[in-house]
Amino acid sequence: MLRPFEIHEPATVAEASRLLARLGEQAAVYAGGTELLLLMKEGLAHFPHLVNIKTIGGLDAIAFEDGVLRLGAVATHREIETSPAARQHAPLVARVASQVGNLRVRAAGTIGGNLCFAEPHSDPAAVLVAWDATLVLARAGGERCVPAAGFFLGMLQTAREPDEILTAVEVRPLPPGTGAAYHRFALHERPTAAVAAVVTVRDGAVAAARVVVGSVGPVPVRVPEAEDALAGRRPEGEVLRAAAEVAGRRADVLEDMFTSTEYKRHLVSLLAARALHDAVSAARTAH
Amino acid sequence: MTAGRRDSGEGKGGAAAPVDVVGTPVSRVDALDKVTGAAKYTGDLIVPGMLYGKVLRSPFPHARIICVDASAAERIPGVRAVLTGRDLADLDPYYGHAVRDRPVVAIDRVRFAGEPVAAVAADDEHTAHAALAAIQVEYQELPAVTDLTMALNDGAPRVHEEALRPGFLHSGEFRREEGNICYHYRIARGDAARAMAAADVVVEGDYTFPAVYQYAMEPHTVVAQWSADGLTVWACCQHPYLVRAELAGIFRLPQSAVRVIVPYVGGGFGSKSYTRMEPLTAALARKAGRPIRIANRVDEAMLTTRRHNMRCWLRTGVARDGRVVARECRIWLDTGAYADNGPRVALAAGDAAPGPYRWQAVAVDAWAVYTHMPPAGSYRAFGATHLQWIGESQIDVLAHRLGIDPVECRRRNLLRPGEEVRPGRKPLEADLAADVSKVAAAVGWGTPKPPLVGRGVSIGVMGAGANPASTAAVRMQADGTLVLLASTTEIGQGARTVLAQIAAQELALPLERIRVAGADTHVTPYDRSTGASRSTTVAGLAVQRAAADVREQLLDIASRVWGLPRVALRLHEGAVWHETESRSYADLIATHFGIAGGELIGRGEVAPGRGDGQAAGPVFWEISCGGAEVELDPSTGRIRVRRLASVADVGKAINPQLVEVQDEGACLQGLGNAFFEEMLFDGGQLINGSLLEYRVPTMADLPDEFHSILVGNGVGPGPYGAMGVGEGALAAVPGAIVNALLDLGLQMRDLPLTPERVWRRLREVE
C-alpha cells in the first residue's frame, strides 16, 4: 500500500540537489516512478519526500552535438526508442530501449531512473557498460563524469552521491570497424540473462572487445577472460565459441527462485555466442 | 433435462419470434459501463460510516497461539476495533462448505503461514495497516508438514487432531481416513489388476502438478454492515446463496437475516467460489459496530485460496490393436490447512483419470491431503486440468509404441454419444471423435512438419453444471420493459448479456428493453452457484421458463382482449399481433389492470423435482478438447506455440462471440498452467506473492495461430440445446502441449514446462 508522501518540484538541478542534501534519507529522486513506486507500494521502501526532477527544464532532451549523443536523464525509453538522433548515432541504444519492460513502462520510465535504480536486470545498463558510455552527475556545486562501468557498485547501489542528480548519458558513435549487439533471454518482463558485446575488427582480427554480462549478477560486468580470448584473433567459429563459453563460466551468477546457476551460465554462453556473432558481423560492415 | 427444448418449442406454434437474438454475437450489455468505468465493483462502494480493515497474518506454518495482545494497537488514534480469536466465543466459528474446519480468524493455533490471526478496523487503510505492527502475538512454533511427502509420512504431525465436521454441502459420502487424509474418492470398475496383467503393452509413471493462483484481476473484496435486521454483505463472490448459508451458520442467524449483494465481479475463475473473506469482515464489523471494508492484496488473495498442487501415479494398459484395457491411478492433492473445495477437487480429479475411453477395468484412488500450506480450492476446470494431460500423454506414449497414429488411437477408443461415462451418471451427449478430428485438422495433423515442430491433441470430459437447481423471475413493467432477476453473478463471462438474450428471444423484446439486476439474496431468486459452466445452461433455463411464463400471460390477455384463440396471435417487437393489428405489451398490461400501471411477473425454476436431471449432477458433460503445434528451441528449452486449437462443444451458442472469448480465455490460462505458473514456497512461506514474480501469460504469449472451433449440435440440456463451456479448454491445453513435445521425443512429467525443465530433459534424452 502506497503511504502518503510529499512531492517536491524543483525548477533547477541546483535546487533539486539542495533539496536532496537537506532531506537526506527522507527523500528519493522521482522520475518515471516505474521502479520506485513499485517498491513503495510493496512496502519495501518508504520515502516521506519525493523530488520530482521531471520539472527541471531540458532534462529530457535527446541531441547529437559535437560528436556526442546526449540522452537527457528523464528522457523516457519510448522517447529514446523513437528518437531519430539515437537511432542514427547509437542504433543499439535505441533498440534496447524498445525492449525494456512493457509499453507502459517504456512510456513512463526514464533512462536516468533505470540506471540510478540499478536493478540488476536492467537492459540499458548492460548495453551502456559495453558501449563505454559516460554518465553526467550534477550537484549544486558542479558536475562530474563517471564511466558507466564505474557507476554500478552493487545491487541497487550506484556511485551517485545522495545530493547528486544524473543529468545525462553521453554516448559516442562507435569507431570505424566496430559493431555492437545485445541478446537477452527473458522468462519474466526482466531478463533472466543478457549479454552485450562491442567488438572492433581491424585487418581481420579483433582489435578491441568488450563483453558485458547482465541480469545474472548484482551488476552488469565485463568478463575480461572472454575479451582476452578474442584479442588479436580472427573472430570466427572456434574463437567466438571459446570466448562465449568462457563468458558463461566466468560470469558472476547469483541464484534466484526461478532458475539454477547452471542454466544461467548455459544461457550466458549461448547469448554471448549470439551477441559476438552479431557484433562481429556488424563490425565487418561498419566503416 | 431436455425440458428446455420442449419449452421453447411449445411457444413456437403461436408466438415464434421472427427475429432471432439467440445465436447472434450481440455486444455485451455491460460493455459501455465497463469501458467507461461506470460499472461498480465492490471496492467502489462507500457505505456511510464505513471503516477499513486490514488483516494480520501468521508468519509460521504451524504454531500454537499463546497470547494475542491488541491493547497497544487499540490505543492508536483512528483504530476502532481489533478482532482476535477471543471475539468468536458466541459464534459457531468454524466454516467450510465441505468440511467445517476453517476458523473465521485463528483461535488457538495457526495452520499455515498467512492465516489470519487478527484484523484491525480503522478510519483509513493506512492507520489500519500501521496498527497491525502494534499487535503482539506470542507463538509457540510447532513442527509443520509443508508438502505432501511430509504430510503422508508415518507419524507426521496432524494438521487437524479433532474429528472433522461435514459442511452443509456435503452429501453423505464424506470419507475421512487416518492421518492427514481429508477425503478419499475411489473408482473401482472391473478387476483392474487382472485386466492390466492381460494387457499387451503397459506404461506407467509419476507426475506432478504445481500450486497455481487463479489470478482474478480484482482480489477478494467485501463490505459488511450490521443492522437491527441482521447482516448485509457486499462481496465479489461467485455463489451469493452459498455465502448466505455459511454466514447464517457462523453467526447463528436465520438465512433470511443475511443479505448478500454482488456488484460486478472482476473475474473469479473459482477463487471467489464459496466463502472467502466474508466471515472475517462480518465479524470485524460486528466488533466495531460499524460497516467495514476489507480488500485483499494480490499476495493475500494467493493465500486465501489457490489450485491444488498434486502428485500422481498413473498406469495404462492397452491391447496390441490399440484398444484400451485398463487404467490404474493414485492421486494426492495438497488441499492445504483447510479442506476448502478439496473433496470435490479430488472427486473431479478421480473422475478425470480414466479419460473418455471404453475401459475393461479402472481403479482410481484420489486423496485430498491436509498440509500446513495455504488452503486450496476451486480453479476453472479443477481436477480435469490436473489429470487430463497425464492420462492423455500415456495414450500417446502407447500409440507411439504400437505405431498407431495418436488421433486414430483415440477414435478407436473414445466413448460415443449415448454411452455411459461413469456408472449411474447421465450418458454422454457430444461426439468426441468428431471433436478430436476438428482440433487435429486445425493444427495441421498429418501434413509435413518442419524440424523441431511437434503436434499433439488432448481430449476429456468433465462433469459440469454442478446441480440442476436454479430459479429466476422476470417482471414485465407497465411500460413494457423487462427486469430480469437472477442470482447468477456477472463475473466477466457475459451472464447478463446471455440471460437478456434468452429473455429477449422468448418475449420478442428488443434487447435494450431488458434490464438485468445484480444478484441480491433479498431480491433476486435462488441460484446454486456461478461456476461449473452452469450459468447459461441452468440459470439460462430458469430465465427461459420465467420469460415464457410472462409470454403465456401476455397471450392470455391478448386472447381475451381480442376474443381470439391464442393460435391466431404472435409476438413481435414488444407487441402481440393479430394479422396486421398489434397491441403493445404496455397496452395489454394497462388493459389487464384497468389503470396505467401494473406488471406481469414470470417465474422459472430448474429442479430435479420437475424432472431436470439428477440432484447429484452432472447436468451435462463438458468437453475438453485441444490441439497444439509447438516449436522447440533446443538451445534454451523454450517452446513456442505455433498453433493452438480448441473445440467449444456448446450445443447451441446463444452468443457465439462470448463463447469464443470464454474459450480463448480458458486456452490462455491453459498456456499459463502449462508453461509459466507456479506458486513457490520456502518452508511453507510463499516467496513469489506478486505479479512481478508470479508469471501469468500476456498477449505476447499468444500462439501464432489460435482456433476456437464452435460445435453446436443442439444436444445440451440448456435453453435451445445449449450446454456450458468456458472451462474445458483449460484442461485440454496442457495435454495438447505435452503430447506435442512427446511427438518430438520429449516426455515431460512435471508442470510447468519451464525452459530450464525442458532443457534438462533434453540433456537427459541426449
Side-chain angles (χ1 to χ4, degrees), chain A residues 13-35:
Chain A
V13 169
E15 195 188 330
S17 170
R18 276 193 297 272
L19 265 170
L20 290 169
R22 179 162 60 80
L23 296 166
E25 291 185 350
Q26 300 285 297
V29 178
Y30 168 65
T34 57
E35 300 276 13

Side-chain angles (χ1 to χ4, degrees), chain B residues 357-374:
Chain B
Y357 301 108
R358 211 175 293 109
W359 303 97
Q360 290 173 22
V362 173
V364 177
D365 287 284
W367 292 275
V369 182
Y370 283 124
T371 63
H372 290 113
M373 295 294 281

Side-chain angles (χ1 to χ4, degrees), chain A residues 11-56:
Chain A
T12 65
V13 169
E15 195 188 330
S17 170
R18 276 193 297 272
L19 265 170
L20 290 169
R22 179 162 60 80
L23 296 166
E25 291 185 350
Q26 300 285 297
V29 178
Y30 168 65
T34 57
E35 300 276 13
L36 180 67
L37 293 183
L38 263 185
L39 205 68
M40 290 172 67
K41 276 184 192 165
E42 290 294 318
L44 298 172
H46 174 61
F47 299 101
H49 299 274
L50 296 187
V51 177
N52 180 7
I53 59 167
K54 296 196 296 294
T55 49
I56 300 172

